[in-house]
Amino acid sequence: MAFKLTATPIAAERFAPFGDVIHGDMETTSAMNDARFLRFNDLARIDIDTQAGGRPSISIARCRTATALPYCIEKMERHPKGSQAFMPLAPFSFIVVVAPAGDTIDPEQLQAFVTSGREGVNYHKGTWHMPMIGLQSGQDFLIVDRAGDDANCEEIVLGETVIVDI
């Protein structure tokens, strides 16, 4: 029997146990460059373990192969040594599936969210999440996470079939 998840619109309050929703909020603005720009400040808490040479890293990931919905989630991953942020570089929706930090995942605790196309997410250190999928090839994400010589990604294979859809 498959466990089915329906992604609900992402909201900062509902996503807070797992991380931050990144979006331009007028409450966080300041002017910059002679007031020609509005800067949206401090949108996510970047939490990087710098022990053993870890450092902040900024990358871009491009979807090479689109994923069709519904999608069967076979594994989840977490990053115990740093938060991990994904921000679309153009407006497009994407799906995230998360579970609380811990040694195991209970499928009953999985939560699925869909963005409106204008938000990104920042997973808290240790939060279980579905590996990234793109709904169209060519979608680019800016990634802010931890780099270093030591491993910072743990995976767990789910013991049940979990299907996510919008």
Side-chain angles (χ1 to χ4, degrees), residues 10-141:
I10 200 163
E13 302 78 31
R14 289 194 309 265
F15 193 72
F18 310 104
D20 309 302
V21 175
I22 303 169
H23 61 89
D25 182 341
M26 293 306 288
E27 294 177 16
T28 64
T29 60
S30 64
M32 63 178 264
N33 295 344
D34 299 323
R36 292 187 313 264
F37 286 84
L38 249 171
R39 179 179 169 143
F40 299 89
N41 295 309
D42 203 19
L43 299 178
R45 184 173 182 267
I46 306 303
D47 183 5
I48 302 293
D49 179 357
T50 56
Q51 299 297 319
R55 65 190 182 285
S57 173
I58 297 175
S59 308
I60 293 176
R62 177 169 295 141
C63 176
R64 294 175 60 192
T65 305
T67 299
L69 296 176
Y71 177 69
C72 181
I73 304 167
E74 297 176 355
K75 63 183 173 182
M76 300 280 281
E77 64 182 38
R78 68 178 175 181
H79 306 278
K81 297 177 183 174
S83 58
Q84 189 177 47
F86 292 91
M87 186 70 194
L89 292 178
F92 59 82
S93 293
F94 63 100
I95 294 174
V96 297
V97 176
V98 290
D103 293 333
T104 61
I105 296 175
D106 178 354
E108 298 276 333
Q109 293 183 313
L110 291 171
Q111 292 189 44
F113 299 95
V114 61
T115 69
S116 70
R118 298 182 53 91
E119 305 98 351
V121 297
N122 180 53
Y123 299 118
H124 289 314
K125 187 172 17 176
T127 293
W128 289 106
H129 60 90
M130 170 181 73
M132 285 299 298
I133 62 169
L135 301 178
Q136 294 180 12
S137 62
Q139 293 176 327
D140 287 343
F141 290 89

